[in-house]
Amino acid sequence: MPARDRYHENLKNALIKDAWTITDDPFHLKWGKKDLYVDLAAEKLLIAEKGTQKIAVEIKTFSGESEVADLEQAIGQYFTYLAVMSRNYPDRVLYIAVHEDIFTDIFDTAGEILLNK
C-alpha cells in the first residue's frame, strides 16, 4: 500500500466533521492484475434526495522537486483512477485534494486548463 500524504488525517477529519462517513482508507481498485489505491472513500446520506452521495479522494502533497512533475503525476493518477472507477464504481465521484497554496499556485492556472480538457 502507498504511503499516506502529509495532509491525509487533516482531510479525513474535515470530511468526518462535514458528516461524511469514511468507508475505505484507502479505497482499493483492481485494474486487471494491478492493485490501485485511492487515498480515501466516503459517503454521505442525503436526506432530501433519499440517497447517498459517494466520493473518492486522492490527496496530493506536491512535495517533489518539480511542481510541474507533481502536477503531471497527479493528473495521470486522476485519469487512471477515473477510468477504473467508471467501470466498477460509476456512482462514485473522484476528487483530488491539495493544500490551498498548491491550488492557488498551480490548479488555478495550469491545472484548470488541463482538467477542463
Side-chain angles (χ1 to χ4, degrees):
M1 275 202 257
R4 290 186 171 187
D5 290 275
R6 177 180 0 179
Y7 303 113
H8 187 96
E9 290 302 319
N10 293 359
L11 177 63
K12 184 176 174 180
N13 291 333
L15 288 170
I16 292 169
K17 265 188 175 177
D18 195 37
W20 288 90
T21 300
I22 304 301
T23 57
D24 299 274
D25 182 9
F27 182 48
H28 179 240
L29 300 175
K30 276 301 248 189
W31 184 24
K33 294 181 181 179
K34 303 291 182 188
D35 293 308
L36 304 174
Y37 297 93
V38 180
D39 290 314
L40 291 170
E43 59 184 37
K44 187 177 194 178
L45 182 62
L46 302 174
I47 303 299
E49 295 179 23
K50 295 183 180 178
T52 306
Q53 182 178 11
K54 296 179 180 181
I55 63 171
V57 183
E58 178 61 22
I59 305 163
K60 302 311 295 176
T61 304
F62 281 71
S63 59
E65 292 183 25
S66 167
E67 289 179 341
V68 172
D70 288 343
L71 178 63
E72 291 170 344
Q73 180 184 4
I75 295 200
Q77 270 186 297
Y78 176 85
F79 284 110
T80 301
Y81 295 165
L82 187 63
V84 174
M85 286 175 55
S86 69
R87 286 180 120 175
N88 302 325
Y89 303 95
D91 59 335
R92 197 173 290 274
V93 178
L94 178 62
Y95 291 95
I96 294 178
V98 296
H99 191 275
E100 184 177 10
D101 294 339
I102 295 297
F103 179 80
T104 302
D105 291 347
I106 296 172
F107 280 84
D108 250 0
T109 54
E112 180 184 359
I113 293 166
L114 295 171
L115 290 175
N116 284 333
K117 292 289 178 185

